[in-house]
């Protein structure tokens, strides 16, 4: 794909990518505000893409690789992210396209060296919006506030929901 991003290049280095591409020793990861997060191998072949919407949302992505534990950590913090925009671009989230609530929060995931999710933590709050679903809520229902805090662990085969509130 060859296309010029809408946000322009960085003044300091002339790059279209975020100022801090990272590597886990096998892949290089770069975030483009217009198109999302990309992963490439060292031969330049695209190995992964997480399409994130270009909206008024502010996103901050951080990643690190621990060579001793052979674990990759990805942390995504966001404000004013509309889940409906993300869900429309990520096939696994298509069922959530009717969730039109501006979200603030963070998601932290730990992956093994093969890229399999080992641990996932979420801390999300939502502002006023609407929720609809073709089967459950065919007509949009208003939501004034949403809170979700939880943890999923593959190693422990567990899911802990510390808080879930929808008003």
């Amino acid at each position: 794909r060859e296309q010029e991003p809408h946000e322009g290049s960085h003044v300091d280095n002339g790059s279209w990518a975020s100022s801090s591409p990272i590597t886990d020793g096998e892949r290089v990861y770069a975030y483009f505000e217009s198109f999302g997060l990309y992963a490439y191998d060292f031969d330049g072949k695209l190995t992964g893409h997480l399409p994130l919407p270009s909206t008024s949302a502010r996103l901050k992505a951080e990643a690190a690789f621990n060579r001793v534990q052979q674990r990759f950590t990805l942390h995504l913090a966001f404000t004013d992210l509309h889940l409906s925009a993300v869900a429309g671009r990520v096939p696994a989230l298509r069922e959530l396209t009717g969730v039109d609530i501006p979200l603030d929060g963070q998601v932290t995931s730990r992956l093994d060296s093969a890229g399999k999710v080992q641990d996932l933590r979420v801390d999300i709050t939502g502002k006023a919006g609407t929720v609809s679903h073709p089967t459950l809520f065919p007509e949009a229902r208003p939501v004034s506030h949403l809170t979700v805090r939880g943890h999923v662990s593959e190693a422990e085969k567990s899911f802990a929901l510390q808080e879930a509130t929808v008003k």
Side-chain angles (χ1 to χ4, degrees), residues 15-167:
S15 171
W16 295 105
S18 65
S19 57
S20 300
I22 60 157
T23 182
D24 62 2
E26 295 178 20
R27 292 171 291 276
V28 175
Y29 300 88
Y31 171 70
F32 297 85
E33 184 178 332
S34 297
F35 306 113
L37 185 65
Y38 287 81
Y40 290 90
D41 65 18
F42 290 129
D43 293 325
K45 180 183 173 197
L46 180 66
T47 61
H49 174 226
L50 177 60
L52 299 170
S54 180
T55 67
S56 61
R58 301 305 330 143
L59 302 171
K60 178 180 180 184
E62 299 173 345
F65 183 73
N66 183 319
R67 288 193 179 276
V68 174
Q69 296 178 344
Q70 291 292 299
R71 189 166 44 188
F72 181 72
T73 301
L74 176 63
H75 179 79
L76 181 63
F78 48 88
T79 56
D80 203 30
L81 179 69
H82 286 260
L83 186 56
S84 57
V86 175
R89 294 177 165 204
V90 179
L93 300 177
R94 287 267 155 80
E95 290 289 320
L96 301 175
T97 56
V99 179
D100 190 18
I101 300 172
L103 302 173
D104 297 341
Q106 53 190 343
V107 176
T108 302
S109 182
R110 292 190 190 122
L111 300 91
D112 64 17
S113 59
K116 183 178 178 189
V117 175
Q118 299 297 303
D119 183 89
L120 179 71
R121 294 182 182 275
V122 297
D123 185 354
I124 300 170
T125 58
K127 302 170 192 143
T130 60
V131 174
S132 64
H133 185 276
T135 307
L136 303 173
F137 309 114
E139 293 184 29
R141 295 195 176 188
V143 172
S144 63
H145 180 79
L146 172 124
T147 302
V148 178
R149 288 186 183 83
H151 175 239
V152 177
S153 172
E154 174 65 24
E156 298 171 14
K157 303 285 187 216
S158 68
F159 172 73
L161 188 60
Q162 283 87 25
E163 181 179 359
T165 307
V166 178
K167 294 182 182 179

